[in-house]
């Protein structure tokens, strides 16, 4: 009788210690990183590389050394001539002579002109708050920090005719989610969807 009682007390104390440990331990909350493959660690590095590309001077083959691989890059989109004109040529009422020299060259080259759009992005996601509220899906706060960068290169006959770039040097936002039903919330949403449909 005494041994069984002692075992129950030890088990209860161990359970209480574990609960106290988990309740105050934010390091058990999930975190992750979303990274688009790139040779750039920061927005500033990508911007500096893009600035080194000069319209009507830089060769297409030189882009890879700058971090923009048009042939083997997994983060590049090939843009056909009609889409380039739609993106870069303003209202049809604007004379061709008023356009950037590189864009004029692209219009003259027509289907021999194409664009390469590079997208680089990094996001670090970290959940903060109460472990149990998060674990039970009652309340989740996700803090997201990172950056993204886009660079467009218009090329023809092995030469970069025009380049443009933009992005966001620093992203910082919080996603908040509250589920009154906790772990049963997804089941409730699924049941509601089935009733409606």
């Amino acid at each position: 009788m005494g041994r069984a009682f002692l075992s129950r007390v030890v088990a209860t104390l161990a359970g209480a210690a574990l609960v106290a440990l988990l309740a105050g331990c934010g390091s058990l909350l999930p975190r992750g990183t979303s990274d688009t493959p790139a040779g750039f660690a920061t927005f500033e590095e990508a911007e500096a590389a893009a600035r080194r590309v000069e319209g009507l001077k830089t060769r297409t083959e030189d882009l890879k050394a700058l971090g923009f691989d048009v042939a083997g890059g997994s983060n590049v989109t090939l843009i056909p001539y009609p889409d380039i004109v739609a993106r870069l040529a303003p209202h049809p009422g604007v004379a061709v002579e008023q356009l950037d020299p590189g864009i004029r060259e692209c219009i003259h080259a027509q289907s021999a002109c194409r664009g390469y759009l590079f997208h680089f992005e990094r996001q670090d996601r970290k959940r903060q708050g109460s472990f149990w509220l998060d674990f039970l899906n009652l309340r989740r706060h996700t803090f997201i920090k990172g950056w993204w960068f886009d660079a467009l290169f218009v090329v023809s006959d092995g030469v970069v005719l025009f380049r443009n770039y933009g992005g966001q040097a620093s992203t910082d936002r919080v996603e908040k989610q509250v589920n009154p039903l906790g772990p049963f919330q997804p089941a409730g949403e699924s049941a509601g969807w089935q009733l409606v449909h």
Side-chain angles (χ1 to χ4, degrees), residues 94-119:
V94 176
V96 174
E97 293 74 24
Q98 294 179 306
L99 299 176
D100 182 273
I103 298 174
R104 291 201 308 264
E105 289 285 335
C106 177
I107 292 173
H108 292 312
Q110 296 188 357
S111 60
C113 179
R114 64 199 62 218
Y116 295 95
L117 178 64
F118 288 84
H119 176 76

Side-chain angles (χ1 to χ4, degrees), residues 1-13:
M1 182 77 153
R3 216 178 263 180
F5 176 75
L6 185 59
S7 295
R8 279 198 304 259
V9 169
V10 169
T12 302
L13 290 175

Side-chain angles (χ1 to χ4, degrees), residues 62-117:
D62 297 329
L63 289 175
K64 183 176 181 180
L66 294 172
F68 305 100
D69 187 356
V70 297
S74 58
N75 51 357
V76 59
T77 303
L78 176 63
I79 303 174
Y81 171 72
D83 292 345
I84 293 171
V85 174
R87 282 174 181 247
L88 301 179
H91 192 273
V94 176
V96 174
E97 293 74 24
Q98 294 179 306
L99 299 176
D100 182 273
I103 298 174
R104 291 201 308 264
E105 289 285 335
C106 177
I107 292 173
H108 292 312
Q110 296 188 357
S111 60
C113 179
R114 64 199 62 218
Y116 295 95
L117 178 64

Side-chain angles (χ1 to χ4, degrees), residues 29-70:
L29 293 174
R31 71 195 58 165
T33 298
S34 172
D35 207 356
T36 303
F40 309 113
T42 65
F43 176 93
E44 290 75 19
E45 281 185 21
E47 183 180 31
R51 281 184 177 170
R52 292 174 60 191
V53 178
E54 297 183 64
L56 302 175
K57 291 184 179 179
T58 303
R59 303 285 303 173
T60 308
E61 61 199 29
D62 297 329
L63 289 175
K64 183 176 181 180
L66 294 172
F68 305 100
D69 187 356
V70 297

